[in-house]
Amino acid sequence: MLRPSLPTFVLFVLLLAGLVAGGCLWREASTPAPHAWLVFHQRSVPRPLLLAAHADANERRAAQLLAETLAAAAGVPRAYFPIRRATASVATPGTIRLVAKSDATSAARPTAETLLQRGVGYEVNAAGLTLWANHRDDLPAAVAWFLAKELQARWFMPGRLGRELPRRSRFALPFGSASVTPGYFSRHLHGLRSPAEQNWFAANQLNNLVVHGHTASQLLTPADFQRDPRLAPEWNGERYLPQSKLDQSWQPDLTQTATSDLVSRALAKQFTKEPRRLAAAFGQNDNWRWDQSAATLAVNAPHRYFRRYPDYSNTLFAFLNRVAADLSPTFPDRFVSTYAYQWTENVPRFAVHPQVLPMLTADRSQWFDPAYAAEDQDLIRRWSLAGPRIFGIYDYYYGRPFLVPRPTLYAVSQSIPFAHAAGARAFFAECSPNWGLDGPKAWLAAQLLWNPAADSTQLLDDYYARFWREAEGPMREFFAICERQWLNQPKPAYWLRYFKDDHQRFLFPPSVRRELGTQLERAAALTRSAIVRERLALVRAAFTVTERFCHHDETRDALSRLALQPPAPTDELLRAFADFSAARRDLLAEHARVKRAYPLAIAGDLLGDYLRNDPRPRVLLELARRNVTGLVDDELRQRLFAGRTPGPRELTAAAPSLLADGGFATLRERRAHPFTLVDWNEGDSPWLGRSEPFERRRMELRAQTGGGQTIHFSDCNQEAVGQWLPVEAGALFHASVNVRGRVSPGNMTYLLVMFVDADGKFTDLGHIDRLPIGQWDEPTSLQLVVRAPANAVRLGFVVRALWQINDDYVEYSEASLRRLP
């Protein structure tokens, strides 16, 4: 037998040692160190996820989130993490268990202390990994917190584009445990409707534990008022009895013990039926038509305003104190949720029952105004000392229906930690994000709700670095510009400025839009990865809607001004008419395209509010008088008039006004307590005046030479004067009113024509002609040309003034409504 030479033998030994050592090194990399448990590695074997045998939808969602994320991090099919039902209460070696410590079947009626213990955590030992939550509905939060902490998983926006997750070849956890209690126990961003948004909601540890709402009309029905008219509000000296559940334009008489007794019984039934319910809701109806009886006025005396609204907090919270006291003996650890909202935002003059849970409503984007921020922070502090054991924060994070970027990260970063430090523990925001325009707003809010002590600057650094990667710089600047536009807007601040208002475009004039477009181009030039390219495409698509929306309003404004001023040359009118028609087509087309291609970019189809101001029919009327309508496309003319265009002879034919008292001569203001001033026409006038009481509100009726009156409004919040007339379906009408005034951005001064059907329902949003921004010292005329829809039976002719600030005012006179032949 041949013997290997010494060098060959040595080489063979060294090679064998190397192979052995290599094998040991591979096993060491694939085997957890002592006292650690291997979740997965490159040669992973399936790791079952065990759920309780009676797992509900929340637990299943938690398991799906965990399985999908672990599989994505490991780069293996999801089948490697199968979801199974546990068959035993003890841990099965080699599994991941999801456990609810306080199971739904463990207590028929858990205490409030139990319901408020919302901690989550995990434990690792030789048997495997156990993820737990005190309550089964918090298991998605437990999973999401674990994945964010241990795998650095992020869900910046819904769907595939929003997830950031580092890939790992190996994931092992040392033996031990960790747990956390979230800062806010109830964390709800409302308006996330799609399946992708619902999954994002769970992945960002959100929940909805405090039930609340405008429930007065649900708890008090028309039948209740018929049985006991004492429940009904008193208006103008008479009890108002709602006839339909659809009628929610009232508040009950909250001074009556009969009202509190009925509500107490209704809420007790809810607690009895749902033993795990923490709170039941009594929220005032969403309006300001409060009871006007002497008893209600006495409760609020001495009368005061708060944020320029009448202060009715004494009325509401005295009532809720009685309801809570009624419930307390049987349900000593349950809560009555309500809204500190508009007329009831302020703290009442007495202590509030500990079982009343107020949600403090405010649009905290107004914190751009230091005076408003200081006032709101003081209010939150005062509520923390007012008596409730729990109070919450209610905000407005839209999104929909805004069509311009509204990140308002300054408000999120400041208000959530501040309110938590003051004692707030529940949170709700109307959100409906425009994911392509609002940036990290919803994500940042979710992180701060979970941990109010987190550094918002570091959170945003994480967002920009991981979500935008190579495009971080320009995208950070894009949203910084948007922030500056909101922060530097003209003062004073007021509730939901620019909500459903075309004047949003004043925050984003052409120069700013160009600057934003430049940042998007810079980002595109830097982008190399496919995922960032897709994310950028979504933002660019949403921003094209912003650009079309702003341009639409700019061209409309130009056309409106030409129509309102002394007769403009025909060629100017035609050019402005064509520009606006093109801008309108572009907006509609681009909005539809983006909604199809990028459903998350823009939240909703709410263009109606922005389209109902269309000056083209009145311009066509002027062109018809000049006998040049033939210069406008015939199909467009017919569409704008919803039928045949009237000719010059028809337009100039004498036709009396259908309005009774078009000169407002019979209009009189009812003398009443200023806190109850709602319907103020007096006597036999056909006009109805409707207003919102407001501090420093000024309304005057000024006699005109030759008869009639001028209506003057200044320092007003919501005012309307109108009348209703029967109409024939299909008839064409020309409405007009003379107007003078001063208009600031956000102020709405307009003529409105609307129609209702035989059931009293509005046929659409109506048609308006709006006075553009500026000073209109010389009288001009707002005009509408509208055709009654096929189902219309009545027409409403209304002049309105909304949200006047600074030196805004309006004067209306000489109204007319003619039927065109």
Side-chain angles (χ1 to χ4, degrees):
M1 181 174 72
L2 294 174
R3 294 179 179 229
S5 65
L6 183 60
T8 304
F9 178 79
V10 171
L11 181 63
F12 174 79
V13 171
L14 291 173
L15 179 61
L16 180 62
L19 289 172
V20 171
C24 292
L25 286 173
W26 182 87
R27 283 195 298 274
E28 184 176 322
S30 303
T31 303
H35 310 302
W37 190 73
L38 184 65
V39 182
F40 64 73
H41 60 86
Q42 285 181 328
R43 299 187 180 185
S44 199
V45 295
R47 286 287 193 208
L49 311 184
L50 297 186
L51 286 173
H54 51 273
D56 67 3
N58 271 312
E59 292 170 281
R60 292 192 296 273
R61 187 187 294 272
Q64 290 164 3
L65 175 65
L66 183 61
E68 290 171 359
T69 309
L70 290 177
V76 299
R78 186 182 146 175
Y80 275 72
F81 300 95
I83 300 172
R84 298 174 183 167
R85 298 299 177 96
T87 56
S89 59
V90 297
T92 303
T95 62
I96 303 173
R97 300 177 70 227
L98 279 71
V99 174
K101 291 189 173 182
S102 177
D103 194 87
T105 60
S106 64
R109 186 175 172 276
T111 65
E113 285 70 22
T114 299
L115 292 174
L116 291 171
Q117 291 173 2
R118 312 308 302 192
V120 302
Y122 66 89
E123 183 176 350
V124 185
N125 54 37
L129 168 64
T130 300
L131 291 160
W132 61 264
N134 280 329
H135 300 275
R136 63 195 318 184
D137 48 6
D138 282 334
L139 276 172
V143 167
W145 169 72
F146 166 78
L147 294 171
K149 179 177 184 294
E150 298 296 345
L151 282 179
Q152 298 302 302
R154 300 289 186 271
W155 294 267
F156 291 115
M157 64 168 284
R160 176 183 58 83
L161 292 185
R163 188 177 70 186
E164 274 293 314
L165 180 66
R167 288 284 293 272
R168 301 176 65 144
S169 60
R170 178 179 181 275
F171 178 35
L173 291 168
F175 290 176
S177 62
S179 64
V180 66
T181 299
Y184 286 81
F185 75 86
S186 186
R187 309 171 298 278
H188 191 191
L189 299 182
H190 182 262
L192 302 172
R193 297 183 174 89
S194 68
E197 288 176 313
Q198 287 292 303
N199 290 335
W200 180 91
F201 185 97
N204 281 281
Q205 300 132 265
L206 296 168
N207 62 14
N208 181 25
L209 299 180
V210 175
V211 175
H212 51 86
H214 293 290
T215 62
S217 61
Q218 301 169 26
L219 299 173
L220 299 157
T221 67
D224 294 323
F225 292 116
Q226 293 294 332
R227 281 192 297 269
D228 189 349
R230 293 176 301 168
L231 309 173
E234 182 181 308
W235 294 344
N236 305 323
E238 298 179 357
R239 293 284 183 184
Y240 175 79
L241 304 181
Q243 300 298 307
S244 165
K245 287 186 176 181
L246 298 177
D247 180 3
Q248 300 177 14
S249 62
W250 49 270
Q251 308 293 355
D253 184 347
L254 299 181
T255 66
Q256 299 287 338
T257 56
T259 310
S260 56
D261 289 345
L262 189 152
V263 170
S264 299
R265 290 194 297 271
L267 300 187
K269 288 180 181 178
Q270 294 181 23
F271 287 131
T272 301
K273 183 178 179 180
E274 301 177 58
R276 297 182 66 83
R277 177 189 280 259
L278 180 69
F282 179 89
Q284 65 264 48
N285 290 331
D286 196 4
N287 66 76
W288 30 265
R289 295 183 66 94
W290 289 80
D291 173 60
Q292 301 175 3
S293 69
T296 292
L297 292 174
V299 171
N300 291 309
H303 300 102
R304 59 181 178 176
Y305 291 90
F306 183 71
R307 289 176 174 165
R308 300 191 66 188
Y309 292 109
D311 187 347
Y312 272 60
S313 291
N314 282 8
T315 295
L316 177 64
F317 289 99
F319 164 80
L320 291 170
N321 277 358
R322 295 199 307 274
V323 172
D326 289 345
L327 292 169
S328 183
T330 308
F331 304 99
D333 57 354
R334 295 300 187 261
F335 299 89
V336 181
S337 63
T338 194
Y339 293 141
Y341 174 62
Q342 288 196 332
W343 289 24
T344 61
E345 287 182 76
N346 202 5
V347 176
R349 293 184 173 98
F350 45 77
V352 177
H353 195 286
Q355 289 174 247
V356 174
L357 195 165
M359 300 293 291
L360 313 187
T361 65
D363 167 23
R364 294 178 181 88
S365 73
Q366 296 177 89
W367 282 24
F368 78 87
D369 184 339
Y372 182 89
E375 178 189 61
D376 198 45
Q377 290 166 6
D378 178 66
L379 179 65
I380 293 170
R381 291 190 196 97
R382 289 191 291 116
W383 267 111
S384 72
L385 303 173
R389 177 180 169 189
I390 300 172
F391 73 96
I393 297 298
Y394 191 119
D395 214 321
Y396 301 84
Y397 280 178
Y398 312 114
R400 184 175 69 172
F402 288 87
L403 291 177
V404 298
R406 192 173 182 259
T408 59
L409 303 176
Y410 61 90
V412 175
S413 298
Q414 296 171 33
S415 62
I416 291 177
F418 177 88
H420 183 267
R425 292 297 181 267
F427 182 92
F428 179 94
E430 297 181 31
C431 197
S432 301
N434 291 323
W435 293 102
L437 295 175
D438 297 339
K441 175 166 62 180
W443 177 79
L444 178 64
Q447 310 319 303
L448 291 173
L449 291 171
W450 184 260
N451 179 13
D455 186 324
S456 59
T457 300
Q458 292 180 7
L459 289 170
L460 290 172
D461 287 345
D462 188 34
Y463 164 79
Y464 287 113
R466 296 187 60 184
F467 189 75
W468 289 113
R469 301 185 190 179
E470 63 268 27
E472 173 187 356
M475 293 311 298
R476 185 189 287 268
E477 181 60 18
F478 177 90
F479 289 111
I481 294 169
C482 297
E483 280 281 283
R484 288 197 293 270
Q485 293 307 110
W486 284 94
L487 277 166
N488 297 330
Q489 64 180 293
K491 299 177 180 63
Y494 62 86
W495 187 285
L496 283 180
R497 194 172 195 175
Y498 305 123
F499 183 77
K500 296 185 179 180
D501 187 355
D502 315 283
H503 287 174
Q504 297 166 34
R505 59 109 168 168
F506 283 96
L507 289 173
F508 293 89
S511 60
V512 173
R513 300 202 301 272
R514 286 193 295 271
E515 189 178 0
L516 290 169
T518 297
Q519 297 306 324
L520 293 178
E521 293 302 319
R522 285 185 58 217
L526 292 172
T527 298
R528 299 292 178 266
S529 56
I531 189 72
V532 174
R533 191 173 295 113
E534 289 185 73
R535 291 167 179 169
L536 184 59
L538 180 135
V539 173
R540 295 177 83 175
F543 189 64
T544 60
V545 175
T546 295
E547 292 183 301
R548 301 293 195 278
F549 168 71
C550 294
H551 181 61
H552 170 265
D553 190 53
E554 287 158 354
T555 57
R556 173 170 52 198
D557 186 78
L559 183 60
S560 292
R561 290 177 185 277
L562 284 175
L564 286 165
Q565 290 166 349
T570 298
D571 60 340
E572 284 190 42
L573 273 178
L574 288 170
R575 187 164 51 250
F577 187 100
D579 289 346
F580 173 60
S581 296
R584 197 176 185 89
R585 287 194 302 271
D586 289 347
L587 171 61
L588 289 166
E590 188 63 15
H591 185 268
R593 183 192 74 81
V594 170
K595 286 297 296 177
R596 286 193 306 271
Y598 303 94
L600 291 173
I602 299 291
D605 301 315
L606 292 175
L607 286 183
D609 289 288
Y610 305 119
L611 299 178
R612 60 183 184 148
N613 179 13
D614 187 349
R616 290 177 299 173
R618 69 167 295 181
V619 172
L620 280 176
L621 213 60
E622 175 61 27
L623 294 174
R625 290 192 184 100
R626 303 180 190 186
N627 202 22
V628 292
T629 51
L631 298 175
V632 177
D633 177 71
D634 184 62
E635 181 182 349
L636 176 59
R637 283 188 285 122
Q638 293 194 32
R639 188 164 67 249
L640 289 173
F641 281 109
R644 188 178 66 83
T645 308
R649 182 175 299 176
E650 295 166 310
L651 292 171
T652 56
S657 175
L658 301 175
L659 295 175
D661 183 27
F664 303 110
T666 62
L667 199 58
R668 298 289 183 272
E669 183 177 12
R670 176 182 286 111
R671 298 301 174 186
H673 193 285
F675 276 28
T676 66
L677 190 59
V678 176
D679 300 318
W680 50 262
N681 58 313
E682 189 161 59
D684 297 328
S685 174
W687 294 102
L688 171 67
R690 180 164 292 176
S691 68
E692 178 179 14
F694 208 54
E695 190 176 18
R696 299 193 300 274
R697 170 190 178 270
R698 182 182 173 200
M699 196 286 284
E700 295 181 27
L701 296 171
R702 300 173 176 175
Q704 284 192 302
T705 304
Q709 296 184 108
T710 295
I711 311 170
H712 174 99
F713 292 121
S714 58
D715 271 321
C716 293
N717 202 47
Q718 297 194 56
E719 300 288 340
V721 177
Q723 61 177 269
W724 289 94
L725 303 94
V727 295
E728 178 185 338
L732 188 65
F733 297 93
H734 175 224
S736 67
V737 66
N738 286 350
V739 63
R740 295 176 63 248
R742 182 188 184 280
V743 178
S744 297
N747 165 237
M748 301 181 79
T749 296
Y750 59 83
L751 168 65
L752 164 68
V753 170
M754 52 190 171
F755 298 92
V756 296
D757 62 18
D759 295 324
K761 297 179 180 178
F762 291 104
T763 60
D764 54 30
L765 292 173
H767 309 263
I768 69 172
D769 191 20
R770 182 174 180 178
L771 192 63
I773 287 171
Q775 189 83 26
W776 299 86
D777 292 323
E778 296 301 319
T780 186
S781 178
L782 298 176
Q783 300 183 48
L784 289 167
V785 181
V786 294
R787 193 178 297 278
N791 58 339
V793 299
R794 288 201 303 159
L795 176 151
F797 178 105
V798 183
V799 294
R800 296 206 72 185
L802 305 178
W803 307 308
Q804 293 178 326
I805 59 173
N806 301 326
D807 298 325
D808 288 345
Y809 78 95
V810 64
E811 293 179 356
Y812 289 113
S813 62
E814 299 178 30
S816 171
L817 178 71
R818 293 192 305 127
R819 176 170 175 173
L820 298 178

